[in-house]
Amino acid sequence: MSTIVDKLFGTHSERELKLINPMVDKIVALRPQMQAMSDEELRDQTVKFRKRLADGETLDDILIEAFATVREAARRVLHMEHYPVQLVGGIVLHQGRIAEMKTGEGKTLVSTCPAYLNALAGHGVHIVTVNDYLAKRDAEWMGAVHEFLGLKVGCVLCGMTSEERKEQYACDITYVTNNELGFDYLRDNMAIYKEQQVIRELDFAIIDEVDSVLIDEARTPLIISGQSGKSTKLYELCDLLAKQLKRGEASGEFTKMNAIMNEDIVETGDFIVNEKEKIVNLTEEGVAKVEQFFHIDNLADAENLEIQHCIILALRANNLMFKDQDYVVKDDEVLIVDEFTGRIMQGRRYSDGLHQAIEAKEHVKVKRESKTLATITFQNFFNKFNKKAGMTGTALTEEKEFRNTYGMDVIEIPTNLPVARIDYEDAVYKTQREKFKAVVDEIEETHASGQPVLVGTITIETSEMLSTMLRRRGIPHTVLNAKFHEKEAEIVAGAGQKGAVTIATNMAGRGTDIKLDEFSRQNGGLKIIGTERHEARRIDNQLRGRSGRQGDPGSSRFFISLEDDLMRLFGSDRLMGIFTSLGVEDGEEIHHKMLSDAIRKAQERIENNNYGIRENLLKYDQVNNEQREVIYAERNQVLEGNNMRETIMKMINDIVEHAVDMTCNEDAPNDQWDVTALNELLLPIIPLKPVSISSGDRKNTLIHRLKEEAVKLYEDKESQFPAAEQAREAERIILLKVIDNKWMNHIDDMEQLRQNIGVVAYGQKDPLVEYKVQAFDMFEQMEAGIEEETVRILYHLQVERKLEREPAAKVTGTNRDESAVRQPVKKAAAKVYPNDPCPCGSGKKYKNCHGRA
C-alpha cells in the first residue's frame, strides 16, 4: 500500500519537505534584514525572543526569526552560513524527528538552530555526542555561536567533579556523551542529598549519530556496579579445563521434528560451538570430564550451577571471543572494542562473569565480579526526555525501530550538491587469501597514481595483517585502529592527501572529516576499499560516506570472500554450494548476479535478528522501568526534604493491618485466632506489649486498638529527639537507606529471574508474561520489606547521636566508563549536619550557608 501512496504523492520524506520548504524560504528571505543589524542588535534578539515567549508566544511562532538570527551569527562568528538544506535539517530536529543527512553535509552546524530556539524556553538543551573528543570540539566550535547570542554553553567530560558537572548542566545548552549523561542520571538517583544531583530536567535532547546511540548501543544496558564477595579462583580453574576439552561437531540442529521422528543428533568431542547464535554446549563426554575434574557426581544438580555457568563462560571466552577483534589486552587489562566503531570502550566490562572468563583466558589479573547497584537501557533513558531528535548519515534502514521504540520518524534531507561518488559492485573471491591479495594489488595500483585510499576493516587483526602485507611491498601507510586511536585526528586529517594510504577500523567512520587536497580532487578523489561487509548495512554506508562529501569526487568498492563470517554463517547454504562449485581459478573474481542479493539478504537477516534482541531487551526492561519510576519517585520525596511522618504513619498502619489479617479470621470466633503468630509477626517490628484478646474483641476493634498503641509508642520515640526536625531527618535518613538497600538487592533478583525465566517455555508458558507476573510479586514483596524494615529500625532507634546519611553501597565502576564516585556532603565540623542551623549565626540551614563547600 505504501508503495502506491509513494508513487502518487511522493515518499514520506518528500511529502514532509514540501511542508518545510516554505518555512526555509522565509528564513532565507530575512538574510538582508539580519545582515543590516549590528552585533549588539543581533545579540538583543535573544532578549526579545525570551520576552515574546514569556508573553505567551510559542517556539513555533518565533522559529523563522530565531533560525535567521542563528544563521547570521554563524556567518559572523564561524564564517559559515547555513545552506537551505541545513535549515531544513534544523526544522526537522526541532519537530522531534531524525534528520538523515549524508556525511559531509555539516550536521554539526545543523544542530545550532534548533538548540538555540529550544534553549530560549529556559529548560536546557542536551546535545548528545558519541565521545568526549566530539563533545569538547563541538562545544568550543558551535558553542561560540550561542555565546555570541548571549546563551551559556556547557560541556560535560569524563573525570569532572560533581560540582563541575552541575555547573555545566545548568547552562542553556550542554554538550555531553550518551554514556556520561546516562550515568549521571543513575548517579543522581543514588544521591543521598538533593545538592549532589547534577542534571536539571530532561527536556530536549539532540542526539548526534543517533543510530549509533539508540540502535548500536541499545543492546547493552548502562550499569553502575559495586563489588560482590565472590571468589575469582573458579574462573581460573574453568579456563584450565576449557583449554583441555576438545571441540566437536553435531550432525544437525535439534528441532521439534527430530523429537517427533525420534531422530538422534550425533555429537562428537566435548563441546559444540554454534557460531551463528554465539552459544556453546557441553556434550555427554564433556559433562563427564567436567564432573571428573571437579570431583562431583552430577553437574546438573542445583549446588553445581555455578560450576556449570563458569565452564560455559570459559568455553565461550576461548572459542567465541577473539583478541584484537572483540577486545584488546593493554597494561595487564582486558579492554572491550566496540564492534561498530572499533573504539576501545574504556571502563566497560562484559557482565555475568564473561569478562572474568576472558581475563582468566589471557592470564591477566581476574577482577572480582560486580554487583549491579543501578541500571537502565538507553531506550528507556532517552524516552524520559519531553522531546528528542537525532541526526545521522544512516538511519533509513532502521526507520521501523526508530518509530516503534522511540516514536521518531526519519526524514531524508537532500544533499546541498549532488553526490559525485561512484559505488562499484562488490568484488567477490573464493577464499580470504585471494581476497586480501586482490585488496593489496588494488591499493598498490591506486597508490602508484597518487590517488588517496582509505581501507576499511572490521577487526584490528585484519588491519594489522594488511599493514604487514603493505610493508612487504614497500607501500607507506598509516593504521588507525583501537590500539592507536589517540592519534586519530592527526591520521584522519592526512587521509585525503596525495598518495595517502590509510587503513582504518570502523572508528574512522564517525565524527571525522577527511578533506581532499587539490591533486586528489583532480584525480578521482578518495577511494574507499572495504575488506569485508559488516553485519549492518549502515556501517558499510558510513564507510562509503567518508568519500564524496559536498560534491567531491570519489569511489567505493567492497572486497569479500565466500569464507567471510557474513557469507559463511548467514549466506544461503545452497547458494554457497553453487558458488564454491563454479570451478573458479585461483585469484579470479567471481561474477554472479545472485551474489549481491545473497549479501543483502544475509545482512537483512542479521539486522532483523539484532532488532529482535533489542526489542526483547526493551520488553523485559519495561517492567524494570515501571518499578524504577516508583522507587526513584519515593527517593526524590526524601531528597526534596519532604515531611515523611505521614508516610511512616501509613506504614505503621499497613503493618498492623497485615499482621491481623494474616492471623485473625473475621468469620471465626476470636478464641480461635492465632495470637501467638500475631505476636511473632508484629512485635519484632513494633515492640508493643504482647497482644492478648478479650472475649468482646472484634477484628476491627483489635486493629484500631493496636494502631493507637503503635502510634502512642512512636510518639514516645519522637519525644526523645531534642527537636521535631531531627526526628523528621531521622525518618528521611532511614527510609532512604532502606529503599536503596532493598532496591539494589531487588535489581539483582530481577536479573536472576530474567536469566532463568526461559525454562518456563518448556511448560508451554510465555516467558515474558511469566516474568511480568513474578516481577510484580517480587516488587510487592520488596515494598512490604521496605515498610517493615523502616518501621522496625525507627522503633528500635537509640537517640544518643545524630544520624548521618551515607551511601547504601560503594560504587566501584560502570560497565561503560569508570567515573569518580560522588562523595557525601563535606562538613566543616564533626557535629554539624546539613539540616542543622549554620554555626555562623545566619539563621540559615548549614547546607544552604557555609555547608555549600
Side-chain angles (χ1 to χ4, degrees), residues 112-166:
T112 52
C113 292
Y116 172 78
L117 175 63
N118 285 270
L120 293 171
H123 303 299
V125 173
H126 296 90
I127 299 184
V128 182
T129 67
V130 289
N131 60 50
D132 271 2
Y133 163 73
L134 290 176
K136 187 171 186 295
R137 184 199 73 180
D138 294 352
E140 291 169 357
W141 187 20
M142 297 297 143
V145 176
H146 297 124
E147 285 172 347
F148 174 82
L149 291 170
L151 298 184
K152 285 184 73 180
V153 177
C155 178
V156 176
L157 300 171
C158 183
M160 280 186 169
T161 64
S162 291
E163 291 76 16
E164 288 170 328
R165 286 169 186 269
K166 193 167 188 173

Side-chain angles (χ1 to χ4, degrees), residues 50 261 290 368 384 388 402 415 417 440 462 549 607 647 674 678 745 783 838 853:
R50 280 181 163 157
M261 302 297 291
V290 174
R368 287 208 165 176
K384 292 184 186 302
K388 57 193 173 297
F402 281 123
T415 54
L417 296 168
V440 175
T462 304
R549 57 184 294 283
E607 284 168 8
T647 304
D674 195 340
L678 175 60
N745 289 330
E783 289 271 67
C838 189

Side-chain angles (χ1 to χ4, degrees), residues 737-754:
K737 186 156 190 173
V738 172
I739 287 173
D740 284 350
N741 278 325
K742 294 284 184 187
W743 175 241
M744 285 168 193
N745 289 330
H746 180 72
I747 289 171
D748 256 15
D749 293 343
M750 290 284 282
E751 183 56 28
Q752 291 298 317
L753 173 66
R754 194 174 71 79

Side-chain angles (χ1 to χ4, degrees), residues 341 343 454 480 488 492 504-512 514 546:
T341 64
R343 287 188 168 91
L454 175 65
L480 179 63
E488 178 178 343
V492 168
T505 43
N506 292 325
M507 65 186 302
R510 282 268 133 117
T512 52
I514 300 173
R546 302 321 304 158

Side-chain angles (χ1 to χ4, degrees), residues 209-436:
E209 308 297 2
V210 67
D211 57 320
S212 178
V213 175
L214 297 187
I215 304 288
D216 298 339
E217 299 202 35
R219 279 192 287 175
T220 314
L222 294 165
I223 297 170
I224 287 182
S225 54
Q227 276 191 354
S228 76
K230 281 188 186 175
S231 165
T232 59
K233 195 72 188 163
L234 184 58
Y235 291 105
E236 291 163 13
L237 287 170
C238 286
D239 181 68
L240 188 69
L241 175 58
K243 287 183 166 78
Q244 295 169 18
L245 297 178
K246 287 178 187 170
R247 180 170 175 167
E249 297 287 339
S251 60
E253 288 184 29
F254 187 78
T255 62
K256 284 183 184 176
M257 187 55 71
N258 297 131
I260 293 165
M261 302 297 291
N262 210 16
E263 291 176 3
D264 285 333
I265 300 294
V266 180
E267 295 178 333
T268 60
D270 300 320
F271 62 94
I272 307 294
V273 179
N274 183 333
E275 289 185 74
K276 270 191 196 178
E277 305 294 332
K278 301 206 170 177
I279 295 169
V280 180
N281 286 310
L282 287 165
T283 63
E284 280 186 38
E285 284 180 37
V287 169
K289 285 184 182 175
V290 174
E291 288 169 347
Q292 186 184 349
F293 184 87
F294 284 103
H295 305 293
I296 54 177
D297 295 327
N298 185 3
L299 182 62
D301 280 352
E303 63 265 28
N304 298 326
L305 276 177
E306 199 173 348
I307 292 174
Q308 190 180 339
H309 179 62
C310 280
I311 190 63
I312 293 295
L313 286 175
L315 289 168
R316 274 181 66 195
N318 279 281
N319 295 277
L320 287 169
M321 307 303 293
F322 302 105
K323 186 178 174 181
D324 288 343
Q325 181 175 328
D326 300 299
Y327 62 90
V328 295
V329 178
K330 191 176 177 184
D331 302 330
D332 202 35
E333 203 177 349
V334 171
L335 303 170
I336 299 176
V337 174
D338 187 322
E339 63 172 308
F340 293 100
T341 64
R343 287 188 168 91
I344 285 176
M345 305 187 84
Q346 286 292 345
R348 178 175 163 187
R349 292 175 66 79
Y350 292 114
S351 57
D352 202 29
L354 180 58
H355 210 95
Q356 284 78 4
I358 296 169
E359 286 170 334
K361 167 193 169 184
E362 297 296 343
H363 305 295
V364 301
K365 186 178 185 300
V366 181
K367 292 182 181 172
R368 287 208 165 176
E369 215 172 310
S370 54
K371 178 184 178 180
T372 301
L373 306 182
T375 178
I376 193 168
T377 58
F378 274 133
Q379 290 105 317
N380 275 317
F381 173 65
F382 280 105
N383 279 337
K384 292 184 186 302
F385 279 87
N386 297 328
K387 181 168 78 173
K388 57 193 173 297
M391 21 180 208
T392 177
T394 45
L396 220 52
T397 55
E398 314 292 346
E399 185 174 18
K400 178 186 169 190
E401 184 167 356
F402 281 123
R403 189 175 278 123
N404 293 350
T405 304
Y406 301 102
M408 303 162 83
D409 58 343
V410 179
I411 306 295
E412 208 173 351
I413 312 294
T415 54
N416 184 47
L417 296 168
V419 176
R421 185 187 67 245
I422 302 165
D423 297 326
Y424 292 104
E425 282 285 314
D426 296 349
V428 185
Y429 293 86
K430 196 171 173 181
T431 65
Q432 286 197 347
R433 180 183 58 78
E434 294 167 67
K435 175 187 78 171
F436 285 119

Side-chain angles (χ1 to χ4, degrees), residues 718-730 799:
E718 286 177 305
S719 66
Q720 296 173 21
F721 286 90
E725 177 50 35
Q726 287 187 355
R728 302 290 76 82
E729 177 64 1
V799 188

